Amino acid sequence: STWGTLVSTFMAARVGALAGVTPGDETAQSIAFQCLNAIEERIHTAIETFHVKEYAKQLVAGTNYFMSIDVGSSFLHARIYVPLGAGAHPQLHSVRFPVTEAEPLAYFDKDSIVASGGASLGGATTGATAGGMKSKPADDMIQAVAVSVKEQVESALRTQYSEFEVFEYASQATAGYTYFMKIFVGEDEFLHVRAHKAFDGSVSLVRIYPGKTAASPLEYF
């Protein structure tokens, strides 16, 4: 019966390698991208390369996706749950990191993460590297991004800035682009601001760290 098949598949998945592993496709990549920020926060590492190599599905009250994802210098395995219903948002369940490309996908139900201490996006000067990304001097494009989130920053910090000039920044391709900016706001004070620019051009504020100085390294956050 169909129910018996589902039970057998579920029990097999719990004890070893998943059946039905298939190459990554647009559906899997889209699901993974929606969990990219959550994955970065879970492993405390900025990700630039992010490509689903292969995945397997498990039918529950919704669908569990077990994915092997190329993140540049290594791979990770992500378990992502997609609830039933149109428009349901994928939810990161657990991550195994790092793993090798050759390591087969297998059922897992908790995190297994070797801490790397966090990935820095740069040092006190521009051009430093970390996590495969480089910080670089500000340009007109990133200044426009900063200006577009200025009101959100001021609202969050309950203040107003007469100066709001990007000093340096780093970027990464996500579902759009994520920007990490060091912004001068006057009187030797800087902010570290993380913003996300979607494919439709809309820009949203993600996180702020106030009270920084020119010497404060631009780190992943």
Side-chain angles (χ1 to χ4, degrees):
S1 67
T2 301
W3 175 247
T5 300
L6 287 176
V7 171
S8 296
T9 301
F10 177 75
M11 293 305 295
R14 290 186 64 88
V15 298
L18 294 167
V21 176
T22 58
D25 53 30
E26 290 184 4
T27 297
Q29 190 69 43
S30 175
I31 291 170
F33 263 139
Q34 293 178 67
C35 293
L36 175 57
N37 286 343
I39 291 172
E40 289 180 324
E41 292 179 0
R42 190 74 61 88
I43 67 176
H44 302 291
T45 302
I47 298 172
E48 184 173 19
T49 299
F50 193 74
H51 176 70
V52 178
K53 179 194 174 190
E54 59 186 9
Y55 70 101
K57 295 191 295 186
Q58 178 188 53
L59 297 178
V60 288
T63 306
N64 283 328
Y65 287 82
F66 294 82
M67 301 184 181
S68 177
I69 303 176
D70 179 3
V71 291
S73 60
S74 64
F75 278 68
L76 64 80
H77 288 175
R79 176 177 170 176
I80 297 172
Y81 171 66
V82 180
L84 293 171
H89 296 291
Q91 303 167 11
L92 179 65
H93 180 280
S94 46
V95 178
R96 298 182 63 240
F97 174 80
V99 298
T100 66
E101 181 178 3
E103 189 166 342
L105 277 171
Y107 177 89
F108 59 96
D109 61 3
K110 60 183 179 181
D111 289 333
S112 176
I113 298 169
V114 177
S116 62
S120 169
L121 291 174
T125 59
T126 61
T129 64
M133 297 187 295
K134 289 185 177 181
S135 62
K136 48 193 172 184
D139 51 36
D140 290 342
M141 180 280 297
I142 198 63
Q143 186 62 40
V145 170
V147 169
S148 67
V149 297
K150 181 174 182 285
E151 289 187 3
Q152 296 177 59
V153 171
E154 291 176 330
S155 176
L157 298 179
R158 298 184 179 182
T159 190
Q160 291 187 327
Y161 296 110
S162 58
E163 297 186 73
F164 203 78
E165 182 178 353
V166 181
F167 175 71
E168 64 175 329
Y169 74 103
S171 63
Q172 61 179 157
T174 53
Y177 282 92
T178 295
Y179 296 102
F180 299 81
M181 299 174 280
K182 177 186 287 189
I183 302 176
F184 175 68
V185 292
E187 297 183 358
D188 298 323
E189 182 182 357
F190 287 75
L191 306 177
H192 288 183
V193 175
R194 175 175 174 172
H196 180 259
K197 185 174 184 179
F199 288 126
D200 63 5
S202 60
V203 181
S204 57
L205 176 66
V206 177
R207 198 164 295 141
I208 314 167
Y209 278 100
K212 300 293 185 178
T213 70
S216 300
L218 185 61
E219 298 176 333
Y220 174 81
F221 58 96

